[in-house]
Amino acid sequence: MTTPTLRSRLTLVYGTLFFVAGLTLLGVTYLLFNQQLEQKTVSIIVRGGGPGSLDTNTGSLDGDRAMNWMKQQQSLLRGAATTSLLTQGAIALVVVGGAASGVGWLVAGRVLTPLRQVTETARRIAAAPVAERGLHERIALNGPADEVKELADTFDTMVERLDHSFDGQRRFVANASHELRTPLTLNRALVELAMHRRTASADVKQLGESLLEINARHERLISGLLLLARAEHEIGDRSPVDLADVVSHVVAQATAEATESKITLHEAAGPAPTSGDALLLERLVHNLVENGIRHNIDDGTGWVRAVSRIAYDGRVEVEVSNTGPAVPPYEIPTLFKPFRRLGPERVVTAKSAGLGLSIVRSIALAHGGEVSARPREGGGLIVTATLPPQSPAHH
């Protein structure tokens, strides 16, 4: 036995409601009209005296008077019928029509509930901060096998395939990065061995240094890819972390690189309690500070300022600002994409792998936060990572 389609069921429901409402309206109007007509007829017949009325003494009328009397009665009956139909019929129409509309509204809401469920699920997936974060949701609609059920099942199948695709992509990046670490480590060992031989010439040593520099960049790239793949997953096991401690630790670690680059580091580590993965949050702050040092001016007047604080809305922030070349506002969105860099630092020997800010963004999103950037007046950037406050369970 085949299940009626949604279209057939809606047609049957609303058709039945229409006919029931119409029959009810017709019956009510007929009863009101018949009642009014009987009342008027009886009232006219028993009324006595006057021209054009029944002679109660003789009980008869002559021809002309009878015709006039009949026309008057016909006119009175027509007026009474018209009044009854227009007034009381209109009242009946409003009452019955309103009741039918209310029942139709309830029935339509019940029938369309599955469609609202499909829409709400699709909206939650679309509103996820990163596209693949919401792909774990399913509609899982229960009900008859109609068009809406087929739509929901097709949507679930599509989302499941996309989810598997994103998971496969992350696994591939992680596995490939792991596999590439071994040959890179072997290459570094062979180059160092060749450079430190007694018979190694100056050209061999110079070539070895260039190869080691390229190899080090590849290692940074692979480490960045591994971290990016790890940061793509939402953090489940969270622990209390004060970003003030993270900022102080990162600034202390970056002092040597900043001194070598003639960059002054400033620190304003105010309390900023949050919860999450401490190592990933340290990487977030480290990448921001490292990015501020490497993309700066080289005349000895450059600086980087790292600040942690509680924002006005209760969330916590890490803000890193720096001097540097002017950054066009339209270039800022591209800075958070992998392998995007500004300026001439696009050669294979560059220190940066082009993953710094994309890793920052992924870590922030994994912790339920966000990252924004804006050009600093006079050159450089102001990058702000905003994270949720520490949850009450971790107080």
Side-chain angles (χ1 to χ4, degrees):
M1 182 178 179
T2 59
T3 303
T5 63
L6 177 62
R7 185 175 184 180
S8 300
R9 284 186 286 151
L10 282 175
T11 302
L12 179 62
V13 168
Y14 284 108
T16 303
L17 287 175
F18 175 81
F19 281 110
V20 170
L23 289 174
T24 304
L25 178 61
L26 182 60
V28 171
T29 304
Y30 173 78
L31 291 176
L32 293 174
F33 174 78
N34 191 48
Q35 181 184 8
Q36 188 72 16
L37 183 60
E38 290 178 355
Q39 291 177 354
K40 290 295 183 180
T41 303
V42 171
S43 175
I44 290 171
I45 291 175
V46 302
R47 189 177 58 193
S53 63
L54 183 64
D55 190 347
T56 56
N57 295 323
T58 64
S60 62
L61 292 173
D62 58 19
D64 292 339
R65 293 183 64 190
M67 291 297 296
N68 291 334
W69 185 82
M70 291 296 293
K71 289 180 180 179
Q72 289 178 2
Q73 305 318 307
Q74 185 180 10
S75 177
L76 290 173
L77 288 175
R78 185 180 294 109
T82 303
T83 301
S84 175
L85 187 63
L86 292 179
T87 57
Q88 300 184 29
I91 295 174
L93 175 62
V94 171
V95 173
V96 176
S101 299
V103 174
W105 175 269
L106 295 176
V107 172
R110 187 176 183 85
V111 172
L112 296 177
T113 297
L115 283 178
R116 286 198 297 270
Q117 185 177 347
V118 173
T119 303
E120 289 171 0
T121 304
R123 185 179 292 114
R124 285 196 301 269
I125 293 176
V130 178
E132 57 267 31
R133 291 283 162 75
L135 295 179
H136 299 295
E137 280 205 59
R138 300 291 183 272
I139 298 173
L141 184 65
N142 295 320
D146 53 24
E147 286 90 338
V148 177
K149 181 72 164 59
E150 183 180 359
L151 171 64
D153 292 344
T154 303
F155 185 85
D156 283 344
T157 302
M158 179 189 68
V159 172
E160 185 176 4
R161 294 185 64 179
L162 287 173
D163 192 19
H164 289 332
S165 176
F166 278 109
D167 283 342
Q169 182 181 13
R170 284 190 291 266
R171 285 194 300 269
F172 171 78
V173 171
N175 293 335
S177 300
H178 277 297
E179 293 297 328
L180 287 173
R181 276 186 163 182
T182 300
L184 285 176
T185 302
L186 181 60
N187 287 343
R188 184 175 69 250
L190 292 175
V191 171
E192 290 177 347
L193 181 62
M195 290 175 59
H196 292 89
R197 285 180 178 175
R198 294 181 179 179
T199 58
S201 62
D203 293 338
V204 170
K205 292 182 179 180
Q206 184 177 0
L207 177 61
E209 291 176 356
S210 299
L211 292 176
L212 286 176
E213 188 175 355
I214 295 173
N215 200 84
R217 181 184 180 275
H218 289 163
E219 290 176 347
R220 289 194 299 270
L221 174 60
I222 291 173
S223 297
L225 288 173
L226 280 171
L227 185 59
L228 186 61
R230 179 188 173 193
E232 288 293 331
H233 297 280
E234 189 171 358
I235 305 302
D237 186 15
R238 297 171 180 257
S239 57
V241 180
D242 192 340
L243 294 179
D245 299 333
V246 177
V247 169
S248 299
H249 177 68
V250 169
V251 169
Q253 283 187 327
T255 300
E257 182 180 356
T259 302
E260 182 181 352
S261 303
K262 299 180 181 180
I263 302 296
T264 304
L265 281 180
H266 301 282
E267 172 192 342
T274 185
S275 57
D277 188 306
L279 292 178
L280 287 179
L281 292 175
E282 180 184 345
R283 172 58 63 175
L284 181 149
V285 179
H286 180 272
N287 280 11
L288 289 177
V289 173
E290 184 181 63
N291 189 75
I293 294 174
R294 293 182 177 179
H295 300 275
N296 216 307
I297 54 180
D298 56 0
D299 60 359
T301 62
W303 52 264
V304 175
R305 179 179 175 84
V307 179
S308 61
R309 58 175 177 250
I310 299 177
Y312 67 91
D313 58 357
R315 297 190 295 175
V316 298
E317 291 181 345
V318 172
E319 182 182 275
V320 176
S321 55
N322 68 308
T323 53
V327 181
Y330 58 83
E331 288 279 4
I332 288 180
T334 64
L335 297 178
F336 293 97
K337 296 180 180 180
F339 307 109
R340 298 296 182 93
R341 308 182 189 89
L342 289 178
E345 194 180 340
R346 298 178 181 268
V347 296
V348 295
T349 56
K351 292 182 179 180
S352 173
L355 294 173
L357 290 181
S358 61
I359 291 174
V360 168
R361 178 175 177 269
S362 295
I363 294 175
L365 292 176
H367 286 78
E370 59 186 7
V371 178
S372 61
R374 66 183 188 273
R376 177 184 163 275
E377 186 177 355
L381 275 178
I382 300 175
V383 184
T384 305
T386 306
L387 300 173
Q390 184 175 319
S391 60
H394 292 142
H395 281 292

